[in-house]
Amino acid sequence: MPMTVRPSAWIWALSAMLIASLGACDDRKPEEIQWQLPLEAPEDPHGGGRMQIVPEWATLNRGDAEFVWLQKHTAQRFAVRVASDAEAGVGGWRIQLLGLASGLRIENNAFLDDENVDNPAAFVRISRDGRPVYTGWLYQKFPELFGLDDPVWKVWLKGINLRPASGEDNTTGSLSSAG
């Protein structure tokens, strides 16, 4: 009487032999992998996570700036215009305008006001309930990249108006980047 082998038993036997042969091939002990430490991001010169000091040249630029506050959970927007060295508030927040730049750029970790660069910016101090939360630049061209990091509120620079320094020719009017 011929012996019949069920297909499932045959597959099981073949699988067992394959597993045994694979385990016998490598008698070496597993090597321990030496992991590298994670790389740290360089410090952001724009001031995203640190308090900055306003450059002296920025304090000499006089004018005003318009800021837009967005309350994220209601999608309400509030526009606030602030003059140089003045402050305004929205919902417990205060924003103080400390300096202006018509064309801000960074070179060798220094902030420069370059008339050839189209990058209006305002140096601000933002506080909540009297406690400073953010001090640094807000950029008109890059509102989502830099500035206040708050789960409920977002603030961005809509535009600036620079006034000529006293004693300069007033026939040119003011520079405006508001759109």
Side-chain angles (χ1 to χ4, degrees), residues 25-109:
C25 290
D26 191 8
D27 288 338
R28 294 181 294 169
K29 291 184 179 182
E31 293 180 26
E32 203 170 302
I33 298 173
Q34 300 223 352
W35 297 99
Q36 291 181 334
L37 294 175
L39 297 175
E40 290 185 25
E43 191 171 334
D44 180 11
H46 298 88
R50 64 186 174 115
M51 299 295 180
Q52 293 185 31
I53 298 172
V54 62
E56 184 178 351
W57 59 261
T59 63
L60 300 175
N61 289 336
R62 310 308 290 168
D64 59 72
E66 184 175 1
F67 301 97
V68 177
W69 289 81
L70 170 68
Q71 190 175 30
K72 295 176 184 178
H73 66 277
T74 65
Q76 283 187 293
R77 298 202 298 176
F78 305 91
V80 175
R81 185 164 295 280
V82 183
S84 294
D85 295 326
E87 65 178 54
V90 171
W93 291 92
R94 302 296 294 170
I95 186 166
Q96 183 180 11
L97 181 58
L98 302 175
L100 293 168
S102 61
L104 188 67
R105 72 179 174 95
I106 298 176
E107 186 175 300
N108 297 325
N109 287 329

Side-chain angles (χ1 to χ4, degrees), residues 64-68 81 101-102 118 120-121 140-141 157-162 174-179:
D64 59 72
E66 184 175 1
F67 301 97
V68 177
R81 185 164 295 280
S102 61
D118 182 26
Q140 181 180 339
K141 300 286 183 173
L157 174 64
K158 184 173 181 183
I160 66 169
N161 291 307
L162 291 175
S174 65
L175 297 174
S176 176
S177 62

